[in-house]
Amino acid sequence: ITFVFDVDVAVARQRIGQQQDRLEKRDEQFFQRIRTGYLVEVAKLKKYAILDASQSPEAIHQMVLNVWKEDWRAQEPRYQVP
C-alpha cells in the first residue's frame, strides 16, 4: 500500500517556518500544482491511502496503523496452519 501524506500548502509553509531553501521559496501556485499532480498520480495505483497530514504526528501515526491493519486483514492468507 502506498501512503500519501496530504497537507494544504498554507499548512506546509507554516510548518517550514523561516528556513527556506531555493525550492521552498517558490510561490503557492507551484506547490498547488505539485500537490495536485501527486494526487492524480496516486489515484492510478491499485492500493493507496491519502491521509490528512495536517493533524498531529500521533494522529497521523494512528491513521497509518489503522489503514495498514485494514489492508492486512483484507489480504488472503499466505500460510495455512493445519
Side-chain angles (χ1 to χ4, degrees):
I1 188 162
T2 300
F3 290 95
V4 176
F5 300 93
D6 183 39
V7 66
D8 184 72
V9 173
V11 173
R13 284 192 177 279
Q14 185 179 31
R15 288 181 178 174
I16 291 169
Q18 298 300 318
Q19 295 183 1
Q20 296 182 358
D21 63 20
R22 178 182 56 85
L23 182 63
E24 292 164 339
K25 290 180 180 178
R26 301 289 301 258
D27 65 8
E28 191 165 327
Q29 291 175 340
F30 170 79
F31 288 105
Q32 192 58 48
R33 286 192 310 271
I34 299 297
R35 179 182 182 214
T36 300
Y38 270 103
L39 295 175
V40 167
E41 289 303 313
V42 78
K44 296 176 184 178
L45 299 174
K46 184 177 178 182
K47 294 185 347 179
Y48 65 92
I50 300 172
L51 305 177
D52 177 6
S54 66
Q55 299 185 36
S56 71
E58 294 80 13
I60 295 168
H61 179 246
Q62 191 59 53
M63 285 188 290
V64 169
L65 291 177
N66 291 344
V67 171
W68 182 79
K69 287 176 186 176
E70 181 180 315
D71 182 63
W72 179 258
R73 288 185 194 120
Q75 301 292 322
E76 292 185 25
R78 295 187 179 117
Y79 306 102
Q80 292 189 355
V81 179

